[in-house]
Amino acid sequence: TMATVNFRANDMQRMMTLLVLCIGLVAAHAQPASQPHILIILADDLGWNDVGYHGSRIETPSIDRIAREGIELDRFYVQPTCSPTRAGLMTGKLPMRFGLYRPINKSSTRGVPLAERLLPEYLDERGYQSFMVGKWHLGHHERGMLPNQRGFEHYYGSLTGGIGYWNKVHGGGYDWQRNGVTVREGGYVTHLLVDEIRTLIEGRDTDKPNFLYAAFQAPHLPNEAPGPTIDKYETLLEGSDNPHRIVHAAMVDELDQAIGQVLEIYEEQGMLDNTLVMFFSDNGGLIQPGSPETYTFIQKIGATAVEWLGRPVPSFPLPGLEFLAANTFDGGSDNTPLPGGKTMASEGGVRVPAAIWWPGELDGGTHDQPFTVTDVLPTLLDAIGAKTDIPKALDGRSQLAALRGQVSEHADYAVSDLASGLAMYRWPWKLVGGDEPKLYHLIDDPLEQTDLSISEPEQLALMQKKMASWGFQEDPGIPIVEALLDPDTFGGEEDGRPPWAESTVD
């Protein structure tokens, strides 16, 4: 009997030991992966002086927190318009390599070539679960161009350029979907994205590291925001000489509130301490360079465009003129003190507010060396231990060592100005191309006030030679004159065409 009791006791002990080991294995499997979660937050048309930490009167405590607790990227460079920047982010390559110089038009059959690997595809191979919400704008003609076919397990948002924040319309078509299926719902776009993010993060696969690409539409045109937030800035910005600045400020405020709510979601889920967060804008803010004479010029462009097409000149306003006028006069952003803005290779068009925050891995501070949008992909792969996955053909370079205070490696970088052609960065030099090239030394002259092309002929010649050697593809996008006849209007009414989710071809 005693032997039987001892046997049972020993057996029970073995069972308990086995049970503890099993529980331990299950618990270990359920813990967050050692690889960090990745959260990229992209703003649309946010100006240099649209954030609190740059001295703006617009209140952005959440964005300020990312810059304060992380590393402020003081020299973060993008492209001057949206689609090229997003292409550089997703591929690590200069978008001009595949002929992408300007925003993808709603009627275009183009997109980032399907042969290009995108960021979520790299991450998926390393075990990540990838989600996207917000603005895609990298091609929508073929189903294979869409986010769900390019590495994202879940997608919710708009495919084209700017949409109405309440009615979700772009260029006469409804543009709001979830995983390829049109979703007709009310609500303010910025708020809806946060609701979707909450659902996704709370329901994520906890056995996998997570990648979330939150590409907010704000504060891109049209100028639309909830009434109470507009009322707030009627007071805070009283006396502003730009009538659009108040609503723009309200849109930025709503964006910042949304970012704060996303960070709260990550905190609630116990993820924030193991998340690499990047924030930046896709280009500089849209400003008001126009004057009354500008509208007359726009009218002439429209008339000439129609004559070029061999069609009669219609009575004004031509549809495209309204689009051009909105992009000239409705901008509410502020890039002070940087010159220029959206569409321009000037610093105000391509140097944007940006920060990276990786708790426990990167010390805070300010990084004053160049960091480009093409550097993001290789930097993230390096950060998750996948440095060997970085293709040699990329234009970007990992900046992880530089962020840790080690030697920086900067590749030459190029941007496409819609008016003056290419501009090239070979730090700290900047060459702005065209018939009359200009050369700037950005450390000594960050506001591009002193042209050194005459006094530095050797540097000018060296950079011109490199620029000529790039051999970028030609821009095969639709002619601007065609876009004037059927413009990419932001908001407005539906005109009977099918929603953009249903406009794709297989």
Side-chain angles (χ1 to χ4, degrees):
T1 303
M2 185 63 68
T4 302
V5 172
N6 287 338
F7 174 78
R8 288 177 178 170
N10 291 337
D11 191 47
M12 182 64 69
Q13 186 176 11
R14 293 190 189 97
M15 291 177 63
M16 290 298 296
T17 301
L18 182 61
L19 182 60
V20 169
L21 286 172
C22 289
I23 292 173
L25 287 171
V26 171
H29 188 60
Q31 289 172 353
S34 59
Q35 292 174 308
H37 305 297
I38 297 172
L39 170 61
I40 294 179
I41 302 171
L42 187 64
D44 196 338
D45 293 4
L46 185 72
W48 185 260
N49 197 36
D50 286 347
V51 293
Y53 74 89
H54 282 164
S56 176
R57 284 192 287 169
I58 302 176
E59 296 179 353
T60 58
S62 301
I63 297 172
D64 298 348
R65 178 191 179 189
I66 296 172
R68 182 182 65 254
E69 298 192 22
I71 300 175
E72 178 185 339
L73 302 176
D74 188 54
R75 295 279 186 173
F76 192 85
Y77 287 99
V78 293
Q79 296 290 322
T81 55
C82 38
S83 296
T85 289
R86 293 159 202 270
L89 168 63
M90 288 289 115
T91 65
K93 296 181 180 181
L94 291 169
M96 294 77 78
R97 292 206 182 278
F98 30 88
L100 188 55
Y101 293 78
R102 51 190 167 117
I104 295 174
N105 182 274
K106 68 177 184 182
S107 302
S108 176
T109 60
R110 300 189 60 233
V112 174
L114 299 184
E116 297 292 336
R117 294 179 68 202
L118 303 193
L119 176 57
E121 295 175 299
Y122 288 96
L123 295 177
D124 290 353
E125 290 182 354
R126 288 286 177 160
Y128 277 75
Q129 183 179 35
S130 298
F131 300 145
M132 180 184 174
V133 302
K135 174 177 169 179
W136 178 236
H137 212 189
L138 287 178
H140 56 274
H141 177 67
E142 299 175 24
R143 189 161 300 279
M145 297 176 175
L146 305 186
N148 290 110
Q149 281 68 46
R150 308 215 66 175
F152 289 103
E153 178 180 313
H154 185 98
Y155 171 65
Y156 172 79
S158 58
L159 296 175
T160 61
I163 61 173
Y165 286 82
W166 301 104
N167 67 9
K168 293 92 176 167
V169 173
H170 173 94
Y174 187 82
D175 190 8
W176 199 243
Q177 66 159 279
R178 180 181 288 113
N179 296 324
V181 179
T182 296
V183 178
R184 288 197 176 267
E185 59 185 346
Y188 189 64
V189 161
T190 305
H191 299 169
L192 294 174
L193 294 182
V194 175
D195 293 341
E196 190 80 1
I197 289 171
R198 179 176 296 280
T199 299
L200 289 171
I201 295 303
E202 290 180 350
R204 73 190 187 283
D205 185 344
T206 56
D207 290 339
K208 294 182 177 181
N210 185 267
F211 168 46
L212 172 62
Y213 174 35
F216 285 91
Q217 283 84 359
H220 191 287
L221 293 179
N223 293 315
E224 296 177 348
T229 316
I230 295 175
D231 293 343
K232 171 182 175 179
Y233 285 94
E234 290 277 6
T235 301
L236 287 178
L237 299 182
E238 185 177 5
S240 173
D241 59 358
N242 181 348
H244 302 294
R245 179 68 173 165
I246 290 170
V247 180
H248 176 86
M251 295 163 71
V252 175
D253 191 302
E254 290 286 345
L255 167 67
D256 188 81
Q257 291 183 54
I259 292 171
Q261 291 166 19
V262 172
L263 296 179
E264 287 178 5
I265 293 168
Y266 273 67
E267 287 181 311
E268 292 167 2
Q269 293 294 308
M271 297 171 64
L272 193 57
D273 288 341
N274 188 35
T275 297
L276 191 161
V277 181
M278 281 203 73
F279 167 82
F280 55 96
S281 178
D282 66 343
N283 46 252
L286 179 66
I287 56 175
Q288 285 188 306
S291 65
E293 292 77 21
T294 305
Y295 188 69
T296 302
F297 176 67
I298 290 173
Q299 287 182 318
K300 290 180 179 178
I301 290 177
T304 303
V306 177
E307 288 173 354
W308 284 344
L309 291 172
R311 303 175 188 175
V313 179
S315 60
F316 291 108
L318 188 68
L321 298 186
E322 181 180 348
F323 173 74
L324 289 175
N327 280 277
T328 302
F329 296 106
D330 293 356
S333 193
D334 182 1
N335 298 315
T336 306
L338 303 180
K342 180 179 179 179
T343 75
M344 307 175 196
S346 304
E347 291 293 277
V350 295
R351 182 182 172 190
V352 296
I356 184 169
W357 179 25
W358 192 7
E361 293 290 339
L362 293 175
D363 295 332
T366 299
H367 185 64
D368 60 3
Q369 295 298 305
F371 191 137
T372 75
V373 69
T374 57
D375 293 331
V376 174
L377 186 152
T379 300
L380 292 178
L381 292 181
D382 194 0
I384 68 170
K387 192 170 185 177
T388 56
D389 294 357
I390 303 173
K392 296 186 184 303
L394 298 190
D395 291 297
R397 301 287 185 272
S398 172
Q399 297 301 314
L400 186 62
L403 293 172
R404 287 175 167 157
Q406 301 167 22
V407 177
S408 301
E409 180 186 4
H410 309 306
D412 292 338
Y413 183 67
V415 300
S416 171
D417 187 309
L418 295 188
S420 62
L422 291 177
M424 173 185 170
Y425 289 80
R426 174 169 284 177
W427 193 253
W429 296 97
K430 178 179 180 179
L431 170 63
V432 180
D435 296 333
E436 299 180 0
K438 294 179 173 56
L439 183 68
Y440 303 104
H441 190 286
L442 293 177
I443 292 179
D444 298 339
D445 180 26
L447 303 184
E448 301 174 292
Q449 296 176 327
T450 305
D451 177 14
L452 301 176
S453 59
I454 302 300
S455 60
E456 297 285 347
E458 292 183 2
Q459 184 66 39
L460 175 66
L462 183 68
M463 295 181 69
Q464 286 180 319
K465 182 179 179 180
K466 175 59 187 285
M467 185 181 288
S469 73
W470 254 316
F472 293 142
Q473 288 188 21
E474 295 292 325
D475 182 357
I478 71 169
I480 293 177
V481 293
E482 292 284 0
L484 285 171
L485 296 175
D486 187 16
D488 278 40
T489 50
F490 312 134
E493 300 297 324
E494 292 183 66
D495 61 10
R497 71 185 72 201
W500 292 107
E502 275 79 63
S503 298
T504 57
V505 297
D506 292 327

